[in-house]
Each structure stands twice: as structure tokens, then as C-alpha cells.
Amino acid sequence: MLHKALSAATRPVFQHSRRAATTLSAGFPRVTQRSPTKYGGVYTVTLIPGDGIGAEITDSVKEVFDYVNAPIEWEQYNVSGMSSSGEDLFNQAMESLKRNRVGLKGILFTPISQSGHISWNVAMRQQLDIYASVVLCKSLPGFPTRHSNVDFAIIRENTEGEYSGLEHQSYPGVVESLKVMTRAKAERISRFAFDFALKNNRKKVTCIHKANIMKLGDGLFLNTFRKVAEEYKSTGIEVNDMIIDNTSMQLVAKPHQFDVMVMPNLYGAIISNIGAALVGGPGIVPGCNVGSDYALFEPGCRHVASDIMGTNRANPAAMILSATMMLRHLGLDSIANSIASATFEVINSGDVRTADMGGAATTSEFTAAIIKKL
């Protein structure tokens, strides 16, 4: 059973545990430089519900946490990306995150129009330097998809690449966008990927790139990855690399060849969506963003889902499972495992499923089913 392996994922990086990582346990090192804010045995966590279905699925988390009496106190900020007028509230939320060092968030809407504000999702990751996005795509026994036994981890560099936000119109009708790549950040995310593989007893790390075309930018990322890989040669971890377009095809054709995948920012956005589709959709894939000082947990597939906002039809599983990853990050493994196990049981039983999983259950009914299992 998947939940039996969860507690091992919080062991130090240098230990070789059996394969512990699941969609519920990211297997990243806990924040060690500074402890999360804690008063009287209760952890204070910043909560940003986000736009679209965010309020509904974070309400599910709060309902489950209340039921199990989880020692979490929320500092909630209803930041919205729907309007640029919310910048003051965004700044307050950032101060809360810097103070508490741990947060749970939904996805904030980012406007496409040129007059719209920058992505506040990206701004959070850059300002807090939560450089590693971790998304685990693993098949669930009770929810079969086209491919069975899919199990791979996506490690995405979160703070640079095409997401640098540096672009300008040099001449009417001519736009230049800067893709920023640095050796330091490529080395940092590569090392994170290998440490993750060691910690979770994974056997292969694949670097995803487009170095055949972007010879300097992606070439730097690939060559840095290869240099880092040399340091881990004695561990026996298999190393290879693959061009992003071929990776997309290989994922839908032969996903079992992948184990740990590390890549720049934009490619991570693409691959995480493909990965989620392979195992059942964005409603069941949790994720997290971590750095040396802060950790921010959110669904692994970053969708606002405004089309079903307010209809009580959203699948809260990804958010609830992200919250269990947060609990484990705080050292609350027992509570995390109980909630994770209950969520798995509901999914695997097939009795209560939301529309995205082929059922007709509401968000409220799915949440109630989890609580019943607890």
C-alpha cells in the first residue's frame, strides 16, 4: 500500500531508504536553516486560497484539518490575480510567508493582456527563492488510466529561464524576450534532483533540454547537469538527457522509462501537465515549491479552473494531498499519513468521485467521504 511508505520520505538525504516517494510525499529535505513559526505547539501557516476553485478546495483542507485537530493556525490572505489593485494584499501575504516560512496556496490568475500585472505566482517563487518545484506523477491503483504503474518525479527550476519576465518591444511589431540561465541555479537544481533520487531510492535522472537549438542557454543547463552528475557517479544512478519535444512524445508513448526528470522552468510547466494527464488529471496531483528557507505547497498542475468556480464540482484531492505534504514537512507525519490514507481509500474505492474522475460527487461530498474514512 502506498501510505505505508510515506514516513520514510522525511529521512535525511544521505540515507538510502526504500522507494518512499509517492504523490503524497515529495521527499525533499526539510527547511533546516530556520524553523517554521510555532507558538504553543501550533504551527502558523500562511494560506492563500487563490482564484477559481481555490476557495472551495482550501475550504476542504480546513474542514479535514479541523476534524483531525491538526495543530495548524492559518493566516489567510485572499489575494486575487483577477485585478492589479490587489498588490497591497499580495505584499501582506508575502510578509506573512517570510514570517511563517511555510504556506499553502491555490493558483493565482495571471492575465494575458499586455496591460495586466506580472504573474504573482512567479513573483512569490522568485522573491522567496523557492527554486525547486517538485511534482510526483504516480498511478493510483483504484483509478486506472491508459498507462498503469506510471511513477516519475518532475523537478523544475522555478526562478529563471523564460519566466524571467524580461521582455520589451525594440521596434513596433518586434518583441525581444530574454531567457536568463545561470550556472549557479542550474547546478543547484541539478544537485537537488540527484539528492532527491538518492533519498527516494530512484535509479535514473534525466535532464530535459533544447540544447540543440538554444546552444548557449540550454547548453549551459545541460553541461552543468553533466558536471554535477559526475559527482554522483559512485552512487550508481543512471544518467541521461532528452530534448523536450521528444520527451513529450516519449511520455505519452512510454512513460515508464522516466524516473526523476530535471528541467528549466518553461519545460516543467509543459511536462507537469502531460504528467498529470497520464495519471488522472490535475485534480489528483499535488506539488510543492521549496528553497533553503521557505516552502510553499500547492497543486502540482497549476490550473485556476475558473470554468467550474463556485459550482461545488472541483476535485479537492490535489490540494488536500499537497496539505499532507506540508504536514510532513512540519514533522506531523502521523496526521499527514492518516489524511493521505483516507484520501487514497476514497479514490481507490471508486464510490465517491468528482466529475473529472468520471463521477458526479460534489466537492463537499468528496471531502465528507475523506472525513468518514478518518
Side-chain angles (χ1 to χ4, degrees), residues 300-320:
C301 205
R302 300 165 180 174
H303 291 273
V304 174
S306 56
D307 56 325
I308 58 172
M309 177 178 65
T311 64
N312 198 25
R313 295 171 56 207
N315 187 345
M319 182 62 85
I320 292 172

Side-chain angles (χ1 to χ4, degrees), residues 37-44 70-72 332:
T37 305
K38 184 179 182 182
Y39 300 103
V42 176
Y43 289 94
T44 304
I72 302 296
L332 302 171

Side-chain angles (χ1 to χ4, degrees), residues 29-157:
R30 287 180 178 147
V31 173
T32 56
Q33 293 187 17
R34 294 186 293 175
S35 299
T37 305
K38 184 179 182 182
Y39 300 103
V42 176
Y43 289 94
T44 304
V45 173
T46 303
L47 176 64
I48 303 172
D51 292 311
I53 60 173
E56 297 162 75
I57 58 179
T58 52
D59 279 349
S60 293
V61 171
K62 289 192 285 187
E63 190 174 344
V64 171
F65 275 32
D66 284 345
Y67 183 81
V68 298
N69 198 27
I72 302 296
E73 183 176 283
W74 305 106
E75 283 187 2
Q76 182 167 332
Y77 294 85
N78 296 322
V79 180
S80 174
M82 300 299 291
S83 171
S84 58
S85 62
E87 187 171 355
D88 287 343
L89 188 58
F90 170 78
N91 290 332
Q92 292 175 35
M94 287 298 297
E95 288 302 313
S96 174
L97 283 168
K98 291 175 182 177
R99 181 171 59 251
N100 297 325
R101 304 180 185 91
V102 178
L104 180 71
K105 70 177 284 289
I107 310 304
L108 296 169
F109 174 78
T110 302
I112 297 176
S113 65
Q114 294 183 25
S115 60
H117 59 79
I118 63 170
S119 169
W120 287 344
N121 299 294
V122 174
M124 284 184 180
R125 298 169 199 136
Q126 291 177 340
Q127 290 181 33
L128 298 175
D129 196 29
I130 40 180
Y131 64 90
S133 166
V134 181
V135 177
L136 281 88
C137 299
K138 186 175 178 68
S139 299
L140 299 179
F143 188 41
T145 56
R146 182 181 297 272
H147 296 285
S148 59
N149 299 317
V150 173
D151 183 8
F152 60 85
I154 300 168
I155 310 294
R156 169 186 179 184
E157 207 294 318

Side-chain angles (χ1 to χ4, degrees), residues 210-277:
K210 191 65 176 173
N212 59 324
I213 301 299
M214 288 173 275
K215 298 182 185 299
L216 290 179
D218 279 27
L220 175 64
F221 190 90
L222 176 59
N223 289 331
T224 303
F225 167 82
R226 287 173 174 169
K227 288 181 179 178
V228 171
E230 287 294 317
E231 300 177 22
Y232 290 83
K233 185 175 291 186
S234 63
T235 65
I237 293 176
E238 182 183 348
V239 175
N240 71 334
D241 61 82
M242 190 175 291
I243 295 171
I244 177 63
D245 34 340
N246 183 34
T247 302
S248 300
M249 178 181 70
Q250 294 295 329
L251 273 171
V252 298
K254 301 176 181 178
H256 304 98
Q257 66 186 283
F258 298 104
D259 197 353
V260 175
M261 310 166 72
V262 61
M263 63 205 73
N265 211 334
L266 178 61
Y267 309 152
I270 298 166
I271 296 303
S272 61
N273 278 265
I274 296 174

